[in-house]
Amino acid sequence: MGHTERSAVGEVRRELREFLRDSSDEERTEAAELLVSELVTNALIHTRHGAVVTATATPARLRVEVQDFASEDLPAPYVPNADDGTHGRGLILVRSLADAWGVEAQALGKVVWFELHGGRS
């Protein structure tokens, strides 16, 4: 992943934090930033075709979608070997922290999404 792509992950995190500034508590915002980082990084590393991030928030739910444009198999979490370093833990992290998550095939590519429930009243 090149420098431009790495900086895109930080930009997405900042934009999501700004989007959630008045509608989410700090814990949910931090979780959302971490999870969107994982999904965007996966899209950039595994597809090399870029990605589009969409976030929608209500008082009860935050949903973030990362759409890529590569026609390949849908991702699935797996248990990495102990000597894998940090590779392979992204979707396990998403599964652990998100209230819901999934993958939807599109005509071109796929959407990987997560939801976090709760927020400021």
Side-chain angles (χ1 to χ4, degrees), residues 36-57:
V36 77
S37 295
E38 292 295 335
L39 297 187
V40 170
T41 299
N42 282 351
L44 294 175
I45 288 173
H46 297 294
T47 70
R48 302 200 187 279
H49 293 285
V52 173
V53 178
T54 305
T56 54

Side-chain angles (χ1 to χ4, degrees), residues 12-13 16 32-40 53 64 66 114:
V12 168
R13 286 177 68 110
L16 183 61
E33 284 185 77
L34 176 61
L35 297 179
V36 77
S37 295
E38 292 295 335
L39 297 187
V40 170
V53 178
V64 177
V66 178
F114 69 85

Side-chain angles (χ1 to χ4, degrees), residues 18-110:
E18 181 63 24
F19 174 71
L20 295 173
R21 184 177 44 145
D22 296 327
S23 65
S24 187
D25 60 43
E26 187 65 22
E27 185 176 319
R28 185 168 88 153
T29 298
E30 288 175 0
E33 284 185 77
L34 176 61
L35 297 179
V36 77
S37 295
E38 292 295 335
L39 297 187
V40 170
T41 299
N42 282 351
L44 294 175
I45 288 173
H46 297 294
T47 70
R48 302 200 187 279
H49 293 285
V52 173
V53 178
T54 305
T56 54
T58 67
R61 180 186 78 159
L62 166 68
R63 182 179 174 105
V64 177
E65 299 178 349
V66 178
Q67 181 177 6
D68 66 50
F69 303 98
S71 54
E72 58 185 43
D73 293 334
L74 299 179
Y78 72 97
V79 178
N81 296 324
D83 61 351
D84 259 354
T86 59
H87 176 70
R89 290 177 170 76
L91 290 179
I92 293 171
L93 187 61
V94 172
R95 182 174 58 188
S96 297
L97 295 177
D99 292 308
W101 78 280
V103 182
E104 299 169 2
Q106 303 290 306
L108 178 60
K110 64 190 162 301

